[in-house]
Amino acid sequence: MRIVVLAGGIGGARFLRGLKAAAPDADITVIGNTGDDIHLFGLKVCPDLDTVMYTLGGGINEEQGWGRTDETFQVKSELAAYGVGPEWFGLGDRDFATHIVRTQMLGAGYPLSAVTEALCDRWQPGVRLIPMTDDRVETHVAVEVDGEQKAIHFQEYWVRLRASVDALAVVPVGAEQAKPAPGVLEAIATADVVLFPPSNPVVSIGTILAVPGIREAIAEAGVPVVGLSPIVGDAPVRGMADKVLAAVGVEAGAAAVAEHYGSGLLDGWLVDTVDAGAVERVESAGIRCRAVPLIMTDPEEGTAAAAMAREALALAEEVRA
Ligand code: GDP
Ligand code: CA
């Protein structure tokens, strides 16, 4: 079975770990969000691609959900001693190596998709990880600070400000001109099922869908498209997804997110058991819906995520029939 998954960082990566356990023989292609990418200290950093790569490759810091395990921050503190920041973005010493290799290869002329493949040679994530595009796309957030409106990089909004001010708009700058990376449309066209993990609907999956051609390819693939709600009980499970949902006029609710994707894209949607009351609303929007446990934090690494993946695949078979 060929499965295509659109993924952001932590929600996508943890779900993917479960999917690999649930479908060990499946051929999984992950289309990764690159709207979060940022240049720091002259280096190209791709937080979501790296979170997927490290999580599936066994190098992730489990508690944080991002960055490397057994990390140290010598380089960062040496940079700070020179007065060189930003200090709000945590780049560890081990992590730096990934960004150096990436930046070096990009400088030598390799596209990001080829660079990602090369990095994955080391990590062996067990999936084919492709960035949504090789072109530069950068998510910006419009905010009002001291009575003045300005657009800031998504990472500055998310990491430095911790989404403490309202997001007035979210703009994937460059997306309109971007082309899907090689392999993206082909993977969608030959998929048996497309899954939306519980990733951020606006700045992760929404950004991927903003690359012209990707949304259309999924809608036209003629295979089941099933998503899992990142919102449980009217709040994001972790993070501040409600802030960016508000910016696009969507309430923070499991049913509202399904309606936001719409029945033109989604065939099936899973909500958490605490949101069982939302099932009817989702189904009346023309999307098959089931309420199952959707919390991935469990001591036995990945068992809850694997159960979620099995439910998603079962729902896909149900809508296919
Ligand atoms: P990011 O790029 O690291 O922010 O990660 P993603 O976009 O892939 O995922 C972020 C989303 O994952 C957040 O909106 C969370 O609500 C959601 N999320 C994280 N953990 C869980 C979980 O255990 N269950 C569910 N349903 N959603 C989760
Ligand atoms: Ca992200």
Side-chain angles (χ1 to χ4, degrees):
M1 182 164 53
R2 285 182 295 261
I3 307 174
V4 166
V5 182
L6 309 193
I10 185 167
R14 289 192 171 166
F15 173 76
L16 281 163
R17 192 157 59 187
L19 180 63
K20 276 174 61 186
D25 300 328
D27 170 346
I28 303 170
T29 298
V30 180
I31 300 172
N33 171 41
T34 58
D36 292 17
D37 295 6
I38 186 168
H39 286 82
L40 294 170
F41 314 109
L43 301 175
K44 167 94 165 173
V45 180
C46 301
D48 285 0
L49 294 180
D50 289 349
T51 294
V52 170
M53 185 174 78
Y54 293 156
T55 301
L56 300 184
I60 199 79
N61 177 322
E62 283 294 337
E63 294 77 54
Q64 274 178 181
W66 54 270
R68 290 290 314 280
T69 184
D70 294 327
E71 191 56 287
T72 52
F73 290 86
Q74 306 276 9
V75 174
K76 192 181 177 210
S77 64
E78 288 294 317
L79 286 164
Y82 284 110
V84 174
E87 289 195 45
W88 48 264
F89 202 90
L91 283 189
D93 300 327
R94 291 176 186 272
D95 202 17
F96 258 112
T98 302
H99 313 313
I100 291 169
V101 173
R102 174 184 293 124
T103 307
Q104 203 169 31
M105 286 189 72
L106 288 170
Y110 291 96
L112 183 63
S113 50
V115 175
T116 305
E117 200 179 326
L119 293 171
C120 285
D121 263 351
R122 170 183 174 193
W123 290 101
Q124 296 291 315
V127 299
R128 177 156 178 237
L129 176 61
I130 318 180
M132 64 190 198
T133 179
D134 280 333
D135 300 321
R136 185 165 171 174
V137 175
E138 222 168 70
T139 302
H140 286 194
V141 180
V143 293
E144 195 178 296
V145 180
D146 303 325
E148 207 185 315
Q149 263 208 37
K150 58 176 185 173
I152 57 178
H153 190 286
F154 170 73
Q155 296 297 354
E156 191 174 352
Y157 180 71
W158 209 246
V159 180
R160 187 172 79 84
L161 298 179
R162 308 292 313 156
S164 56
V165 297
D166 286 344
L168 307 175
V170 177
V171 184
V173 178
E176 269 172 44
Q177 294 80 37
K179 289 181 297 298
V184 167
L185 297 182
E186 293 80 353
I188 295 169
T190 56
D192 296 307
V193 54
V194 176
L195 300 178
F196 293 0
S199 282
N200 190 307
V202 182
V203 293
S204 293
I205 295 179
T207 309
I208 300 169
L209 293 172
V211 175
I214 296 186
R215 175 188 289 272
E216 297 75 5
I218 293 170
E220 288 161 15
V223 296
V225 180
V226 172
L228 299 92
S229 179
I231 305 290
V232 171
D234 297 329
V237 178
R238 38 161 69 223
M240 302 79 68
D242 48 326
K243 286 290 197 166
V244 287
L245 279 167
V248 297
V250 177
E251 66 185 276
V257 173
E259 289 167 353
H260 172 63
Y261 287 128
S263 61
L265 199 57
L266 275 187
D267 301 301
W269 186 244
L270 293 177
V271 300
D272 189 80
T273 45
V274 304
D275 295 310
V279 170
E280 215 178 292
R281 179 172 153 193
V282 175
E283 296 221 311
S284 62
I287 298 162
R288 194 82 64 96
C289 186
R290 295 283 175 271
V292 299
L294 289 190
I295 299 296
M296 292 186 283
T297 42
D298 60 351
E300 256 155 88
E301 183 183 307
T303 42
M308 285 162 56
R310 275 192 292 276
E311 293 286 359
L313 293 173
L315 185 55
E317 290 319 310
E318 204 182 309
V319 297
R320 195 197 305 277

